[in-house]
Amino acid sequence: MATPLASTAKPIGITQASKSLNDLTAPKDQRDIETQNPIEQEEPNPLSTDVAEDAISGLEDNSKVPHLPLLKLFWFFFYNFGLFAWGGPVAQIALIKERLVIQDQWISLERFQRVFAVYQILPGPEAAELCMFFGCLSAGRLGGIVAGLAFILPGFTLMLLASYLYSLAGLENKYFNASFKALQPIVAAM
């Protein structure tokens, strides 16, 4: 015959059992809320409103872009940036920033910096992309295409002319070949 096991657990009352049952069946969020301490309210920081106002003023469209006809837009970008923006992308971007952002104030400096940061991530030449951006601001999508072509056209024309002259002189011309051989160490050093 088996002997009953002696229980060491104390019997609990009905109120304790219902309380522990509620703890098990209550949603976790509700149990956590009951055990948390109330959050103290902080006083508003006066500096945070200045930062928020600066952020809001940088997000608004603060452009003073003139709406130019397409032909005038073409000549503006062709003459100001296509013909005279020599010296690589750093010099070209500095020229675009100086003329359109600082002098003419088409957009604010903060907006220019945000746009330029995006174009640095995207593949492609940033200076041409900036010209296309300003062309889009001035005359829409077609203006962006026109401004981009106006910026690229002088360099394209110069390279086309140089390759044409090279083909006219002949690929076996000793003077052209000597000049290219002289340029090879300079290019390698760069």
Side-chain angles (χ1 to χ4, degrees):
M1 179 175 210
T3 58
L5 294 174
S7 174
T8 57
K10 295 181 185 177
I12 59 171
I14 294 177
T15 57
Q16 288 177 330
S18 65
K19 185 176 181 183
S20 62
L21 183 61
N22 282 342
D23 287 345
L24 293 174
T25 59
K28 185 176 185 300
D29 295 339
Q30 186 179 359
R31 286 182 298 198
D32 289 344
I33 291 172
E34 293 170 355
T35 59
Q36 290 177 355
N37 294 331
I39 299 173
E40 297 177 14
Q41 292 288 335
E42 295 181 13
E43 292 183 26
N45 185 356
L47 295 177
S48 66
T49 57
D50 295 339
V51 173
E53 288 173 4
D54 289 344
I56 291 171
S57 69
L59 292 175
E60 66 187 23
D61 186 11
N62 51 0
S63 60
K64 300 175 186 171
V65 180
H67 296 287
L68 301 173
L70 292 178
L71 189 60
K72 196 170 189 178
L73 184 73
F74 177 84
W75 285 113
F76 178 79
F77 279 94
F78 181 83
Y79 181 75
N80 289 311
F81 307 116
L83 286 178
F84 298 113
W86 298 99
V90 175
Q92 294 168 340
I93 292 167
L95 185 64
I96 292 168
K97 178 182 170 185
E98 177 67 30
R99 175 66 193 262
L100 297 180
V101 177
I102 296 174
Q103 285 180 5
D104 295 345
Q105 295 181 352
W106 282 27
I107 61 173
S108 68
L109 185 60
E110 293 84 16
R111 185 171 180 195
F112 175 80
Q113 289 170 341
R114 283 194 316 272
V115 169
F116 183 56
V118 170
Y119 287 145
Q120 284 181 319
I121 295 170
L122 295 175
E126 291 96 2
E129 291 169 345
L130 281 172
C131 284
M132 291 176 207
F133 168 74
F134 283 110
C136 281
L137 288 180
S138 180
R141 290 183 182 156
L142 192 57
I145 293 170
V146 167
L149 287 174
F151 179 77
I152 295 169
L153 191 61
F156 174 76
T157 307
L158 181 66
M159 292 308 298
L160 193 63
L161 179 66
S163 64
Y164 178 71
L165 290 176
Y166 181 69
S167 68
L168 279 182
L171 303 177
E172 299 300 323
N173 189 321
K174 64 181 181 179
Y175 297 111
F176 275 120
N177 289 334
S179 64
F180 284 134
K181 287 203 184 280
L183 289 176
Q184 284 178 351
I186 297 170
V187 171
M190 290 182 175

